[in-house]
Amino acid sequence: MDSSGINVLITAHQAHAPAGWLRLAGVRRPVLRTLEIVGLTGLIHCYPSVGAALDA
């Protein structure tokens, strides 16, 4: 995950706001750590599976 990937996620989040939502499922630890460092996990929630993301 580099700045390009981060920008794509931010753009996707903004495109769905305010009525929609963006959730990530099955995020691998290195990517999750990057999202945590840049503060995106407060905006884009990450779940261990698609089922968990849909149930949230």
Side-chain angles (χ1 to χ4, degrees):
M1 170 82 58
D2 62 8
S3 62
S4 298
I6 291 168
N7 285 328
V8 167
L9 292 175
I10 291 170
T11 300
H13 171 73
Q14 291 171 339
H16 287 85
W21 47 263
L22 175 65
R23 297 175 185 159
L24 300 179
V27 179
R28 294 178 188 244
R29 186 69 197 145
V31 173
L32 180 59
R33 183 68 183 130
T34 301
L35 297 175
E36 290 170 342
I37 290 169
V38 298
L40 280 183
T41 54
L43 293 175
I44 303 171
H45 300 283
C46 300
Y47 297 89
S49 68
V50 172
L54 293 174
D55 290 340

